[in-house]
């Protein structure tokens, strides 16, 4: 996937973002606009800039962005638009860091209004410096080349609650993971986490990006022969497994959800999260991963790797 810029100067601590339950440490808002196609090879239009200031090497910040987009084609044609959505981080005056970005997006149905998209990740720079993270929202070219438009209704990028530790994160495999119909489920994007001594809980996040496979393939599915239409049904959950078998140390999982991904809206992000409880004495290390499988769909699907999927584990979010 592939750039109006809102600069936030003196950021007020702990603003309350409308429609959310959490007061973020820092937040920058996008300006509503009508978006047009990005040129081929573009990294994506910057809609808001979050100034983190000086960040020490190895210090982690948990970032979240949300946008509301709608089909706003100005020629009145009925067609899908492919919306891209990214968080990218960099030193001020620099370029996007390889480990400082997460990609997402969605193909929208005709005339579908006010679709909310969310992306989240942890940013941990390797060297001390002055950093900023960017909300990028844009239209990919190609679905109806030269005439695609869509509305950016609203959006923000936020630092959830300032510096946090300890944190681990992976952006998933270097390749896509294919799921055939009725095949066994698969564990995805695992990390190993060691909570702080005395910690009784931590937060595990496993977000994946799914593409259903239809027709002759493409879009990460690989060339092949798939049903011409239909729906993939993706069963998904977040799983945490302790290394210790001491009392109170038990494997835990979020409730299983099933998400339909059709040939019409074949790119879709699934957000996974689990608060894991443990006794104060600890349970050694924990293995955290996403789990996915087919659940009666008519299309196979793939789950994307780097830089689309992410698993991270961190202390609980502050209230």
């Amino acid at each position: 996937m592939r750039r109006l810029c809102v600069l936030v100067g003196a950021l007020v601590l702990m603003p309350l973002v409308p429609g959310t339950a959490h007061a973020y440490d820092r937040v920058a808002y996008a300006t509503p606009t009508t978006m047009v196609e990005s040129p081929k090879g573009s990294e994506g239009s910057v809609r808001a800039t979050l100034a983190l200031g000086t960040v020490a090497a190895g210090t982690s910040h948990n970032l979240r962005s949300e946008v509301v987009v709608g089909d706003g084609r100005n020629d009145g044609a009925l067609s899908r638009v492919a919306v891209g959505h990214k968080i990218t981080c960099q030193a001020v005056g620099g370029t996007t860091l390889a480990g400082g970005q997460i990609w997402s997006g969605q193909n929208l149905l005709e005339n579908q209004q006010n679709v909310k998209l969310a992306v989240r990740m942890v940013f941990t720079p390797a060297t001390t410096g002055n950093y900023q993270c960017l909300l990028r929202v844009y239209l990919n070219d190609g679905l109806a080349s030269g005439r695609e438009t869509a509305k950016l209704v609203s959006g923000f990028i936020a630092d959830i609650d300032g510096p946090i530790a300890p944190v681990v994160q992976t952006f998933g495999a270097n390749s896509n993971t294919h799921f055939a119909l009725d095949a066994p489920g698969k564990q995805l994007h695992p990390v190993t986490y060691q909570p702080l001594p005395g910690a009784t809980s931590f937060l595990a996040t496993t977000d994946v990006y799914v593409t259903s496979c239809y027709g002759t393939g493409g879009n990460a599915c690989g060339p092949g022969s798939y049903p011409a239409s239909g729906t993939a049904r993706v069963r998904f959950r977040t799983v945490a497994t302790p290394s210790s078998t001491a009392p109170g140390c038990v494997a835990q999982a979020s409730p299983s959800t099933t998400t339909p991904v059709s040939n019409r809206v074949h790119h879709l992000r699934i957000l996974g999260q689990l608060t894991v409880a443990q006794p104060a004495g600890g349970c050694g290390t924990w293995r955290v991963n996403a789990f996915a499988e087919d659940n009666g769909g008519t299309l196979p699907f793939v789950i994307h790797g780097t830089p689309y999927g992410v698993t991270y584990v961190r202390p609980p979010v502050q209230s």
Side-chain angles (χ1 to χ4, degrees):
M1 304 180 93
R2 332 267 174 229
R3 307 174 272 261
L4 202 49
C5 180
V6 180
L7 295 178
V8 175
L11 288 165
V12 179
L13 294 182
M14 305 303 286
L16 184 63
V17 178
T20 67
H22 182 74
Y24 292 102
D25 185 74
R26 299 183 183 210
V27 63
Y29 297 95
T31 299
T33 189
T34 297
M35 301 183 293
V36 297
E37 292 174 78
S38 291
K40 284 187 180 296
S42 168
E43 191 174 9
S45 299
V46 176
R47 306 299 178 180
T49 299
L50 180 69
L52 292 179
T54 300
V55 180
T59 299
S60 299
H61 290 261
N62 193 174
L63 306 176
R64 180 184 181 95
S65 66
E66 290 185 10
V67 297
V68 176
V69 292
D71 185 353
R73 187 181 303 286
N74 56 18
D75 65 2
L78 298 178
S79 182
R80 289 171 290 175
V81 290
V83 175
H85 181 193
K86 293 179 184 175
I87 295 175
T88 65
C89 296
Q90 62 190 47
V92 174
T95 57
T96 300
L97 298 170
Q101 56 182 322
I102 184 77
W103 297 7
S104 190
Q106 186 170 317
N107 285 358
L108 304 179
L109 287 170
E110 297 92 335
N111 295 326
Q112 187 172 353
Q113 298 296 317
N114 297 340
V115 177
K116 181 183 286 188
L117 309 176
V119 177
R120 47 195 183 180
M121 59 170 275
V122 172
F123 175 56
T124 310
T127 60
T128 300
N130 186 17
Y131 290 95
Q132 59 188 14
C133 294
L134 313 176
L135 167 64
R136 297 181 185 268
V137 192
Y138 54 97
L139 299 188
N140 286 318
D141 68 297
L143 284 183
S145 185
R147 60 187 181 89
E148 293 182 9
T149 61
K151 292 178 293 187
L152 176 60
V153 179
S154 64
F156 70 85
I157 179 172
D159 179 3
I160 289 178
D161 51 12
I164 49 173
V167 174
V168 295
Q169 176 172 259
T170 181
F171 287 101
N174 290 325
S175 59
N176 303 310
T177 303
H178 186 268
F179 289 77
L181 295 177
D182 301 320
K186 298 178 182 180
Q187 298 182 11
L188 301 163
H189 311 162
V191 297
T192 300
Y193 184 67
Q194 176 68 67
L196 285 172
T200 58
S201 67
F202 59 87
L203 186 69
T205 297
T206 59
D207 294 350
V208 296
Y209 189 58
V210 180
T211 294
S212 57
C213 301
Y214 64 95
T216 57
N219 293 308
C221 291
S225 179
Y226 306 100
S229 62
T231 299
R233 290 178 54 82
V234 184
R235 178 181 285 158
F236 181 79
R237 65 180 180 267
T238 304
V239 181
T241 307
S243 62
S244 171
T245 58
C249 297
V250 295
Q252 296 165 56
S254 63
S256 204
T257 62
T258 295
T259 300
V261 186
S262 74
N263 68 304
R264 302 289 297 161
V265 183
H266 59 269
H267 300 313
L268 198 64
R269 192 163 198 81
I270 303 176
L271 305 178
Q273 202 156 71
L274 171 68
T275 297
V276 180
Q278 67 169 17
C283 293
T285 60
W286 289 79
R287 186 184 192 273
V288 173
N289 61 268
F291 177 85
E293 64 182 341
D294 169 64
N295 190 24
T298 59
L299 297 178
F301 61 92
V302 297
I303 291 183
H304 296 247
T306 300
Y308 293 92
V310 65
T311 296
Y312 64 82
V313 189
R314 52 154 295 170
V317 174
Q318 300 172 12
S319 59

